[in-house]
Amino acid sequence: MVDHIVSCARDLTPDWVIMVLQGLNSSGQVAVATAIHRDSPATKFLFISGYPHQEELDHARSHGLDILFEEMPFNPEKLFERLLLAE
């Protein structure tokens, strides 16, 4: 599954990847984002979660990922504004 996700991102070269981080340990999801970043370094990431995930976010940022983080529940309008401002 991970290889398929990374392969699709490689083919699409997305401007943004939005991921919901689930569970207390999201290191696997952050590893997928890091793999996408290796292939598409200009891709920006928005992570959404009800848990802060500070250690995982710090790790991802140390590998050069451009990350926005939004805690749940979130306001969709505010989220859209953040994405536009981050462009």
Side-chain angles (χ1 to χ4, degrees):
M1 180 71 140
V2 170
D3 291 336
H4 179 70
I5 293 168
V6 173
S7 175
C8 287
R10 185 180 307 118
D11 293 343
L12 296 172
T13 59
D15 293 328
W16 283 94
V17 171
I18 300 172
M19 297 177 80
V20 176
L21 302 180
Q22 298 178 346
L24 295 179
N25 180 352
S26 62
S27 59
Q29 294 156 308
V30 172
V32 169
T34 302
I36 292 170
H37 173 72
R38 273 194 300 271
D39 290 337
S40 302
T43 299
K44 298 175 185 174
F45 295 85
L46 170 65
F47 293 155
I48 302 169
S49 182
Y51 181 78
H53 297 283
Q54 195 59 52
E55 186 175 319
E56 291 98 331
L57 295 176
D58 290 344
H59 175 75
R61 286 184 178 118
S62 75
H63 284 84
L65 275 74
D66 186 359
I67 300 171
L68 291 178
F69 179 78
E70 191 70 34
E71 282 194 47
M72 286 191 217
F74 62 89
N75 178 319
E77 291 174 5
K78 177 184 165 196
L79 181 63
F80 185 68
E81 286 176 18
R82 283 191 74 191
L83 291 173
L84 287 177
L85 289 173
E87 286 293 313

